[in-house]
Amino acid sequence: MSINMYISSLVQYGISRGLIEECDRTYMINQLLQHLNLDSYEDTAPQALPLDEILGGILDNAVTRGLCSDSSTGRDLLDTLLMGLMTPPPREVRRRFELLRLQNPQAATDWFYRFSQDTDYIRRYRIQKDIRWLVSTEYGKLDLTINLSKPEKDPKAIAAARNMPKSAYPLCQLCTENEGYAGRLNHPARQNHRIIPIELNGEEWYFQYSPYVYYNEHCIVFNSEHTPMKIDRSTIVKLLDFVTLFPHYFIGSNADLPIVGGSILSHEHFQGGRHSFAMAKAPIEQEIQFKGFEDVRAGIVKWPMSVIRLTSADRVRLTDLAERILTAWRSHTDETAFIYAETNSEPHNTITPIARRNGADYELDLVLRNNITTDEHPLGVFHPHAELHHIKKENIGLIEVMGLAVLPGRLKDELNRLEKHILTGCRLDEDLEKHAAWVERLKSKYVFTDENTSSILRIEVGKVYQEVLEHAGVYKRTKEGMSAFLRFINTINQEG
């Protein structure tokens, strides 16, 4: 197919998705010709092709003419530029969102989520490659995904990026300056990226979607200023402000300390969306009461991690109690449970807070976290231990805490090869030796067949993830663990 057909089809796609209008057709063709270094064009009937096929045809042509490198990074930089040409400017996007929000907040997010896909900021065709499944456990159905939509870093691009002059613009991938940014070898292009201003606790924040969509309508809410993550009273206020604005979404914050925090601690941000995680469905295992807050319903959640759930229609009372719990936890030490508030002046205790609406009520889940390390567990005592690293070694952040395992892309190939090893007895490759002990245990537990091996491996990966969460829980699900948990609750009531 000719480059003219692909250009014509891309413009038709923009018109059909409402990114541009019919009167923009000739103008947009000329914009595309300019940025593709083409000086002639024959009008060609557009074809109703998938967007990735249209862009792929244009990129293949660009590569043959030396306009971009034939690498994932080079191709992404160019196709984002092209999609950015058709993406309406921020003023139009914000105006449309606000008009919809005033009528119905859900209508506004429905439109913006679809818009973020139509502009190819969220690449639907890559998200579809992600592998997702559920595993039933005593805590409910855990979500697992092998994320394949986030592009692997191209070795050539990595090498080239080392030789690039260092840039502090944008300061990070969350900063407002990413909106419309052209990108470079070591920073993604964002010409088709749009952000929505919102006010949280009287501060200017922004709302966007994650380009990698780990779950339905996975959104990111971030401070307009490049300021570090922190968990305090204002955090709770901001979370409750957000679910007041968008009651159909949940919102949560990663912890503000290394190991138990997220991958970006340098820029204050939250993550939310429209997905019902297993933790949100988990019941209260033991009701508790806080002195002076008898009007706030409270309980310990049946979950592998240590979670206090607070529920009230009065968000001020909820905030006051959450602050009291946080303050008490920051300074709490219980040597018999190996809980240390600090060692060598390094603080260890923090929380992962999550907010949602339940009818007229506000609901807060406060997940107790501690990032202490030892010689035996140098990556963290309350972190996946070494015997689980063959499946999950990375930090247990907000998303994992709630019951969604975001697993490394390497597992797709590794599980396929482990299946072959189990069924044929072929020798394990060196890079699969890390799974050897696990596989031997499975062989003693199951009779494997061609029909069941793949599903058994997925179930067992889910069980490993359950163990990961149990390792991350500061109070273990034992009689001794529950006693220690209640001791902490009692300290709060004694102070109150």
Side-chain angles (χ1 to χ4, degrees), residues 96-114:
R96 175 77 179 273
F97 183 90
E98 186 60 15
L99 286 172
L100 288 170
R101 189 190 68 80
L102 291 173
Q103 299 171 33
N104 184 330
Q106 185 172 324
T109 57
D110 285 350
W111 170 78
F112 189 46
Y113 187 59
R114 185 171 58 252

Side-chain angles (χ1 to χ4, degrees), residues 284-302:
I284 295 295
E285 188 168 42
Q286 181 164 343
E287 292 186 357
I288 54 179
Q289 197 170 78
F290 290 96
K291 184 178 177 181
F293 290 90
E294 290 80 6
D295 55 315
V296 177
R297 300 190 299 281
I300 295 172
V301 179
K302 184 182 178 182

Side-chain angles (χ1 to χ4, degrees), residues 201-466:
N201 194 30
E203 298 174 5
E204 185 180 25
W205 281 60
Y206 286 91
F207 169 87
Q208 65 174 66
Y209 287 103
S210 165
Y212 309 118
V213 193
Y214 293 148
Y215 51 84
N216 185 45
E217 298 182 42
H218 178 183
C219 67
I220 299 173
V221 181
F222 60 98
N223 196 319
S224 62
E225 301 293 327
H226 184 81
T227 188
M229 294 287 292
K230 63 178 179 179
I231 302 292
D232 57 16
R233 180 187 177 90
S234 72
T235 307
I236 304 301
V237 173
K238 292 165 191 169
L239 296 179
L240 296 178
D241 276 353
F242 182 85
V243 295
T244 300
L245 284 170
F246 304 104
H248 57 296
Y249 274 8
F250 79 89
I251 192 78
S253 175
N254 267 305
D256 54 355
L257 294 178
I259 296 176
V260 295
S263 58
I264 301 178
L265 291 173
S266 62
H267 195 136
E268 187 181 16
H269 68 285
F270 309 139
Q271 295 182 79
R274 186 156 34 162
H275 182 74
S276 186
F277 289 90
M279 191 179 81
K281 299 175 186 175
I284 295 295
E285 188 168 42
Q286 181 164 343
E287 292 186 357
I288 54 179
Q289 197 170 78
F290 290 96
K291 184 178 177 181
F293 290 90
E294 290 80 6
D295 55 315
V296 177
R297 300 190 299 281
I300 295 172
V301 179
K302 184 182 178 182
W303 192 245
M305 297 185 70
S306 308
V307 186
I308 299 172
R309 179 168 295 160
L310 308 177
T311 306
S312 175
D314 187 337
R315 52 175 292 182
V316 175
R317 294 287 287 164
L318 208 60
T319 303
D320 289 344
L321 178 52
E323 181 183 26
R324 178 176 292 185
I325 294 170
L326 172 60
T327 301
W329 178 244
R330 289 282 195 193
S331 61
H332 184 67
T333 291
D334 184 344
E335 294 184 9
T336 61
F338 207 77
I339 303 294
Y340 294 89
E342 65 173 52
T343 55
N344 300 319
S345 300
E346 179 188 352
H348 297 305
N349 288 348
T350 184
I351 64 171
T352 300
I354 301 110
R356 65 184 76 88
R357 298 295 296 273
N358 191 347
D361 286 334
Y362 291 88
E363 197 168 85
L364 269 178
D365 283 350
L366 307 180
V367 187
L368 307 181
R369 311 299 301 274
N370 179 289
N371 75 345
I372 195 169
T373 62
T374 63
D375 290 341
E376 183 183 3
H377 301 296
L379 296 183
V381 172
F382 305 107
H383 176 87
H385 294 174
E387 67 268 22
L388 307 182
H389 289 178
H390 66 106
I391 298 294
K392 180 72 174 174
K393 183 179 181 179
E394 299 79 11
N395 290 354
I396 304 306
L398 171 68
I399 295 172
E400 285 87 3
V401 163
M402 294 185 293
L404 168 58
V406 181
L407 301 171
R410 63 174 171 82
L411 279 179
K412 177 188 177 184
D413 176 63
E414 290 179 6
L415 290 175
N416 287 337
R417 289 155 61 206
L418 286 175
E419 181 177 356
K420 181 180 178 182
H421 160 76
I422 290 168
L423 291 174
T424 68
C426 65
R427 186 175 179 178
L428 278 178
D429 294 331
E430 185 176 348
D431 67 319
L432 295 182
E433 283 294 333
K434 59 181 176 285
H435 297 294
W438 179 59
V439 169
E440 288 306 309
R441 288 196 300 273
L442 299 186
K443 286 180 181 177
S444 67
K445 183 178 178 181
Y446 296 101
V447 175
F448 286 102
T449 67
D450 289 345
E451 290 73 28
N452 70 11
T453 303
S454 176
S455 61
I456 287 173
L457 286 175
R458 287 192 177 192
I459 290 169
E460 290 296 328
V461 168
K463 291 180 179 179
V464 171
Y465 172 47
Q466 176 181 321

